[in-house]
Amino acid sequence: MEDLISVVTESSRYILPVIGAIILIYCTFTLLRHKFPSPEYAALINTKTNDVHELTFWEISVGRSNVCDIIIDADMSVSRFHAVIARRRKGWTLIDTYSKTGSFVNGRRIDKKTIIENGDTLTFGATTFRFQM
């Protein structure tokens, strides 16, 4: 029995690193082979200050918190985590994250995820942005 245990232990010292190397090589080739599409260029432009916020990620958080991608700290009517703008197959969407004052697309309050188009106005609290692609 001890001979069997020593054979298994001795062979696993060589077999497990080889299996690990094979898995690592396979994962590397899979990542290099698959090209992830970059998100379509889009931006939010503040209608009062003309500040441009480029939407460079697949999901962008909007709010007063310092951890948000687009920080609107001058407007106290904006919630800390107010909304999320996300790139999906059908285009860019706006999702309100149950903010107190709500999110608006072209002056209409949204209650579910809404597809946004080029030229739409997005309002968070008292701050309005123009969506541009």
Side-chain angles (χ1 to χ4, degrees), residues 12 15 17 19 29 36 40 44 50 58 60 65 87 100-101 106-107 111-112 119 122-124:
S12 67
I15 293 173
I19 292 172
F29 282 126
F36 293 100
E40 211 174 278
L44 287 183
N50 287 328
W58 288 92
I60 296 95
S65 175
R87 173 78 172 128
K100 289 182 181 179
T101 57
N106 297 326
D111 56 354
K112 58 183 180 179
L122 310 179
T123 305
F124 311 106

Short mmCIF file of all heavy atoms in Angstrom, two decimals, residues 12 15 17 19 29 36 40 44 50 58 60 65 87 100-101 106-107 111-112 119 122-124:
data_model
loop_
_atom_site.label_atom_id
_atom_site.label_comp_id
_atom_site.label_asym_id
_atom_site.label_seq_id
_atom_site.Cartn_x
_atom_site.Cartn_y
_atom_site.Cartn_z
N SER A 12 2.39 12.44 -9.49
CA SER A 12 1.62 13.69 -9.47
C SER A 12 2.51 14.92 -9.48
O SER A 12 2.10 15.98 -9.92
CB SER A 12 0.67 13.72 -8.28
OG SER A 12 1.39 13.79 -7.07
N ILE A 15 2.84 15.18 -13.32
CA ILE A 15 1.61 15.24 -14.11
C ILE A 15 0.84 16.53 -13.86
O ILE A 15 0.37 17.17 -14.81
CB ILE A 15 0.73 14.00 -13.82
CG1 ILE A 15 1.43 12.74 -14.33
CG2 ILE A 15 -0.64 14.15 -14.46
CD1 ILE A 15 0.73 11.46 -13.95
N PRO A 17 1.81 19.67 -12.88
CA PRO A 17 2.32 20.86 -13.57
C PRO A 17 2.10 20.82 -15.08
O PRO A 17 1.84 21.85 -15.71
CB PRO A 17 3.82 20.87 -13.24
CG PRO A 17 3.92 20.10 -11.98
CD PRO A 17 2.85 19.06 -12.05
N ILE A 19 -0.45 19.32 -16.63
CA ILE A 19 -1.87 19.64 -16.83
C ILE A 19 -2.12 21.13 -16.65
O ILE A 19 -2.84 21.75 -17.44
CB ILE A 19 -2.74 18.81 -15.86
CG1 ILE A 19 -2.69 17.33 -16.24
CG2 ILE A 19 -4.19 19.30 -15.88
CD1 ILE A 19 -3.37 16.42 -15.23
N PHE A 29 -4.55 30.92 -25.75
CA PHE A 29 -4.95 30.88 -27.16
C PHE A 29 -6.42 31.27 -27.34
O PHE A 29 -6.77 31.94 -28.31
CB PHE A 29 -4.71 29.50 -27.76
CG PHE A 29 -3.26 29.27 -28.11
CD1 PHE A 29 -2.60 28.16 -27.62
CD2 PHE A 29 -2.58 30.15 -28.93
CE1 PHE A 29 -1.26 27.95 -27.94
CE2 PHE A 29 -1.25 29.94 -29.26
CZ PHE A 29 -0.58 28.83 -28.76
N PHE A 36 -12.67 40.87 -28.85
CA PHE A 36 -13.82 41.51 -28.24
C PHE A 36 -14.08 42.83 -28.95
O PHE A 36 -13.17 43.64 -29.10
CB PHE A 36 -13.59 41.75 -26.75
CG PHE A 36 -13.49 40.49 -25.97
CD1 PHE A 36 -12.26 39.98 -25.60
CD2 PHE A 36 -14.63 39.79 -25.60
CE1 PHE A 36 -12.17 38.80 -24.89
CE2 PHE A 36 -14.56 38.62 -24.89
CZ PHE A 36 -13.31 38.11 -24.52
N GLU A 40 -19.18 51.12 -29.26
CA GLU A 40 -19.37 52.23 -30.17
C GLU A 40 -19.10 53.54 -29.42
O GLU A 40 -19.47 53.67 -28.28
CB GLU A 40 -20.83 52.20 -30.63
CG GLU A 40 -21.08 52.71 -31.99
CD GLU A 40 -22.53 52.49 -32.36
OE1 GLU A 40 -22.86 51.37 -32.76
OE2 GLU A 40 -23.31 53.45 -32.21
N LEU A 44 -21.75 61.84 -23.31
CA LEU A 44 -22.78 62.68 -22.68
C LEU A 44 -22.22 64.09 -22.62
O LEU A 44 -21.11 64.30 -22.14
CB LEU A 44 -23.10 62.19 -21.27
CG LEU A 44 -23.90 60.92 -21.12
CD1 LEU A 44 -24.18 60.66 -19.65
CD2 LEU A 44 -25.20 60.98 -21.88
N ASN A 50 -21.41 72.33 -21.16
CA ASN A 50 -20.79 71.72 -22.34
C ASN A 50 -19.63 70.78 -22.00
O ASN A 50 -18.78 70.52 -22.86
CB ASN A 50 -20.35 72.77 -23.36
CG ASN A 50 -21.52 73.37 -24.08
OD1 ASN A 50 -22.53 72.71 -24.31
ND2 ASN A 50 -21.41 74.64 -24.42
N TRP A 58 -18.45 49.43 -21.24
CA TRP A 58 -19.71 48.79 -21.58
C TRP A 58 -20.81 49.22 -20.62
O TRP A 58 -21.97 49.26 -20.99
CB TRP A 58 -19.56 47.27 -21.56
CG TRP A 58 -18.77 46.78 -22.73
CD1 TRP A 58 -17.42 46.58 -22.77
CD2 TRP A 58 -19.25 46.49 -24.02
NE1 TRP A 58 -17.04 46.15 -24.02
CE2 TRP A 58 -18.15 46.08 -24.81
CE3 TRP A 58 -20.51 46.50 -24.61
CZ2 TRP A 58 -18.28 45.70 -26.14
CZ3 TRP A 58 -20.63 46.11 -25.94
CH2 TRP A 58 -19.53 45.73 -26.68
N ILE A 60 -21.61 52.29 -17.57
CA ILE A 60 -21.15 53.52 -16.94
C ILE A 60 -22.15 53.90 -15.87
O ILE A 60 -23.34 54.02 -16.13
CB ILE A 60 -21.03 54.67 -17.98
CG1 ILE A 60 -19.96 54.33 -19.03
CG2 ILE A 60 -20.69 55.98 -17.32
CD1 ILE A 60 -20.49 53.71 -20.24
N SER A 65 -21.73 59.85 -6.05
CA SER A 65 -20.67 59.13 -5.35
C SER A 65 -19.35 59.21 -6.11
O SER A 65 -19.32 59.26 -7.35
CB SER A 65 -21.06 57.66 -5.17
OG SER A 65 -19.99 56.94 -4.60
N ARG A 87 -24.06 49.55 -22.79
CA ARG A 87 -24.04 49.18 -24.21
C ARG A 87 -24.55 47.76 -24.33
O ARG A 87 -24.03 46.85 -23.71
CB ARG A 87 -22.62 49.29 -24.75
CG ARG A 87 -22.46 48.79 -26.16
CD ARG A 87 -22.98 49.80 -27.13
NE ARG A 87 -22.63 49.38 -28.48
CZ ARG A 87 -23.50 49.28 -29.45
NH1 ARG A 87 -24.75 49.59 -29.26
NH2 ARG A 87 -23.12 48.90 -30.63
N LYS A 100 -34.26 58.70 -6.17
CA LYS A 100 -35.42 59.43 -5.60
C LYS A 100 -36.08 60.34 -6.62
O LYS A 100 -37.30 60.39 -6.71
CB LYS A 100 -34.97 60.25 -4.39
CG LYS A 100 -34.64 59.43 -3.19
CD LYS A 100 -34.27 60.30 -2.02
CE LYS A 100 -33.91 59.45 -0.83
NZ LYS A 100 -33.53 60.26 0.33
N THR A 101 -35.28 61.05 -7.41
CA THR A 101 -35.85 62.01 -8.35
C THR A 101 -36.09 61.41 -9.73
O THR A 101 -36.71 62.04 -10.57
CB THR A 101 -34.94 63.24 -8.48
OG1 THR A 101 -33.64 62.81 -8.88
CG2 THR A 101 -34.86 64.00 -7.17
N ASN A 106 -35.66 62.49 -22.79
CA ASN A 106 -36.47 63.45 -23.56
C ASN A 106 -37.66 63.95 -22.75
O ASN A 106 -38.76 64.09 -23.26
CB ASN A 106 -36.93 62.85 -24.89
CG ASN A 106 -35.76 62.53 -25.79
OD1 ASN A 106 -34.75 63.22 -25.79
ND2 ASN A 106 -35.89 61.46 -26.55
N GLY A 107 -37.44 64.20 -21.45
CA GLY A 107 -38.49 64.74 -20.59
C GLY A 107 -39.47 63.72 -20.05
O GLY A 107 -40.37 64.07 -19.29
N ASP A 111 -39.07 53.97 -16.08
CA ASP A 111 -39.18 53.07 -14.94
C ASP A 111 -38.57 51.70 -15.25
O ASP A 111 -38.53 50.83 -14.39
CB ASP A 111 -40.64 52.91 -14.52
CG ASP A 111 -41.53 52.45 -15.65
OD1 ASP A 111 -41.05 52.37 -16.78
OD2 ASP A 111 -42.71 52.18 -15.39
N LYS A 112 -38.11 51.51 -16.48
CA LYS A 112 -37.42 50.29 -16.86
C LYS A 112 -36.31 50.68 -17.81
O LYS A 112 -36.21 51.84 -18.22
CB LYS A 112 -38.37 49.29 -17.51
CG LYS A 112 -39.07 49.83 -18.74
CD LYS A 112 -40.04 48.83 -19.29
CE LYS A 112 -40.71 49.43 -20.53
NZ LYS A 112 -41.65 48.53 -21.13
N GLY A 119 -28.81 62.15 -29.89
CA GLY A 119 -29.53 63.41 -29.73
C GLY A 119 -30.52 63.42 -28.58
O GLY A 119 -31.09 64.47 -28.28
N LEU A 122 -30.90 63.34 -21.58
CA LEU A 122 -30.99 62.52 -20.38
C LEU A 122 -30.92 63.45 -19.18
O LEU A 122 -30.01 64.28 -19.09
CB LEU A 122 -29.84 61.51 -20.32
CG LEU A 122 -29.59 60.67 -21.57
CD1 LEU A 122 -28.41 59.75 -21.35
CD2 LEU A 122 -30.81 59.88 -21.92
N THR A 123 -31.88 63.33 -18.28
CA THR A 123 -31.92 64.20 -17.11
C THR A 123 -31.81 63.36 -15.85
O THR A 123 -32.55 62.40 -15.65
CB THR A 123 -33.24 65.01 -17.08
OG1 THR A 123 -33.36 65.73 -18.32
CG2 THR A 123 -33.24 65.99 -15.93
N PHE A 124 -30.84 63.74 -15.01
CA PHE A 124 -30.63 63.12 -13.71
C PHE A 124 -30.76 64.23 -12.68
O PHE A 124 -29.94 65.14 -12.64
CB PHE A 124 -29.24 62.49 -13.62
CG PHE A 124 -28.91 61.61 -14.79
CD1 PHE A 124 -28.01 62.02 -15.77
CD2 PHE A 124 -29.50 60.36 -14.93
CE1 PHE A 124 -27.70 61.22 -16.84
CE2 PHE A 124 -29.19 59.54 -16.00
CZ PHE A 124 -28.30 59.97 -16.95
#
